[in-house]
């Protein structure tokens, strides 16, 4: 069943990098890679993006927050990876941006980028399911 903004209830969709993701857009001028995945929010699910940071299992520390967006970053071996969680009222959107800084990070990202879309989708589905369970358990 298709619902709000072309979203399919319970499904993750690849979406264009959202205009509302201001923090991640400002954090990295020209990324080597970027993507975004969205899922429709269910009634009662948190609209605060901080509640969704578990998507990344606390591997990315929060470095900024503005409006409905939380920005996280991790740097390792010349690779700068940014993630943003944006809640726009109807959906939660996980945005990723990567900048490689040398041949080692380019080689590493060349391998990881094939797995990244699968992992991003898996993480957003897992967190969505967890928060849906918490929401339904706290409802009368």
């Amino acid at each position: 069943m298709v619902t709000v903004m072309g979203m399919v209830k319970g499904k993750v969709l690849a979406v264009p990098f959202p205009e509302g993701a201001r923090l991640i857009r400002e954090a990295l001028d020209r990324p080597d890679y970027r993507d975004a995945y969205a899922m429709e929010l269910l009634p009662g699910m948190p609209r605060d993006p901080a509640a969704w940071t578990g998507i990344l299992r606390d591997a990315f520390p929060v470095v900024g927050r503005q409006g409905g967006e939380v920005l996280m970053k991790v740097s390792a071996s010349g690779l700068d990876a940014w993630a943003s969680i944006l809640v726009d009222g109807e959906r939660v959107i996980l945005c990723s941006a990567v900048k490689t800084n040398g041949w080692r990070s380019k080689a590493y990202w060349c391998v990881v980028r094939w797995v990244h879309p699968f992992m991003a989708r898996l993480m957003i589905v897992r967190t969505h399911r967890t928060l849906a369970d918490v929401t339904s358990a706290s409802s009368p």
Side-chain angles (χ1 to χ4, degrees), residues 102-121:
W103 70 269
R104 284 186 181 158
S105 63
K106 287 179 197 283
Y108 172 78
W109 182 246
C110 188
V111 173
V112 173
R113 74 182 178 109
W114 297 106
V115 180
H116 171 79
F118 171 78
M119 293 305 296
R121 289 172 189 256

Side-chain angles (χ1 to χ4, degrees), residues 38-81:
M39 246 184 127
E40 184 179 359
L41 293 169
L42 300 175
M45 288 186 112
R47 275 26 185 195
D48 180 359
W52 291 85
T53 58
I55 286 174
L56 300 171
R57 297 195 176 218
D58 302 320
F60 283 51
V62 173
V63 295
R65 182 182 175 139
Q66 181 180 337
E69 183 182 16
V70 171
L71 181 67
M72 296 161 284
K73 179 186 180 190
V74 67
S75 294
S77 302
L79 183 80
D80 292 328

